[in-house]
Amino acid sequence: MLFNLGLLTALLAVASASPLTPTSESSLARRNEDITRLGSVGKLLSGGTKFGDLVFVSGQVPTLNNTIVPGGIRNETALCIQKVGDVLKEAGTDWSRVLKVTVLMQDINDFALMNEVYSSMIPDPKPARSAFEVGNLPVALVVLFV
Ligand SMILES: *[C@@H]1O[C@H](CO)[C@@H](O)[C@H](O)[C@H]1NC(C)=O
Ligand SMILES: *[C@@H]1O[C@H](CO)[C@@H](O)[C@H](O)[C@H]1NC(C)=O
């Protein structure tokens, strides 16, 4: 099936009380054990990862039980934003802490409709954002928070 599918990727950096500083190799190895996997953890990817106060959210597609949500780009955008929000919540944060969003869309002509939903769901002030039409990709909303 080819569809208007949304893909949302988020990567988030929340201001850290204890900034990561260059460390010795052994201390990096120890820190690797402190990576938390978020969302559903599969063979290919995790829904997100958390390391200290940094959160990275994988691209999210507008599917429920492997079925694209009905209703077109608006509903797809809403679901992607919601799914990223779920990962953020699990990490102990939320959309208000997002620094960068990347939106990938199958058809850039959906830009205005995507923006309608985006502007109403993402809290102000908005994070930085880039948006692209990407060929042969399910419509995508990629959110990168840094
Ligand atoms: C997805 O599957 C779960 C478990 O089978 C079910 O509880 C849920 O209602 C389903 N959601 C949708 C949107 O179909
Ligand atoms: C799209 O989402 C809205 C709001 O949740 C819902 O009322 C509507 O039924 C959805 N559209 C379709 C075709 O499912």
Side-chain angles (χ1 to χ4, degrees), residues 4 6 8 62 69 72-83 95 103 105 110-111 113-119 121-122 129 139 141:
N4 221 17
L8 236 156
V69 69
I73 189 72
R74 281 193 181 88
N75 288 23
E76 292 174 17
T77 301
L79 182 56
C80 287
I81 290 172
Q82 184 189 314
K83 288 171 80 170
W95 269 101
V103 180
M105 309 180 68
D110 287 334
F111 193 60
L113 292 176
M114 179 278 294
N115 277 334
E116 258 180 41
V117 176
Y118 182 91
S119 65
M121 290 183 72
I122 307 297
R129 196 188 78 175
V139 165
L141 242 189

Side-chain angles (χ1 to χ4, degrees), residues 21-67:
T21 50
T23 53
S24 70
E25 227 172 277
S26 62
S27 132
L28 279 177
R30 178 166 43 77
R31 285 182 165 185
N32 282 342
E33 293 164 12
D34 296 335
I35 298 172
T36 303
R37 312 290 163 175
L38 306 164
S40 66
V41 178
K43 286 182 180 161
L44 296 176
L45 53 83
S46 297
T49 51
K50 182 179 183 185
F51 180 77
D53 287 338
L54 266 179
V55 178
F56 299 84
V57 181
S58 291
Q60 299 294 320
V61 295
T63 56
L64 291 172
N65 295 340
N66 293 319
T67 304

Side-chain angles (χ1 to χ4, degrees), residues 6-12 57-61 77 80-81 84 95 98-105 108 111 114-115 118 122 127-134 137-146:
L7 171 69
L8 236 156
T9 298
L11 75 79
L12 164 73
V57 181
S58 291
Q60 299 294 320
V61 295
T77 301
C80 287
I81 290 172
V84 169
W95 269 101
V98 171
L99 298 181
K100 175 73 198 299
V101 177
T102 303
V103 180
L104 301 182
M105 309 180 68
I108 202 69
F111 193 60
M114 179 278 294
N115 277 334
Y118 182 91
I122 307 297
R129 196 188 78 175
S130 307
F132 306 95
E133 176 179 289
V134 181
L137 235 198
V139 165
L141 242 189
V142 177
V143 179
L144 307 182
F145 339 159
V146 188

Side-chain angles (χ1 to χ4, degrees), residues 32 96 109:
N32 282 342
S96 71
N109 292 313

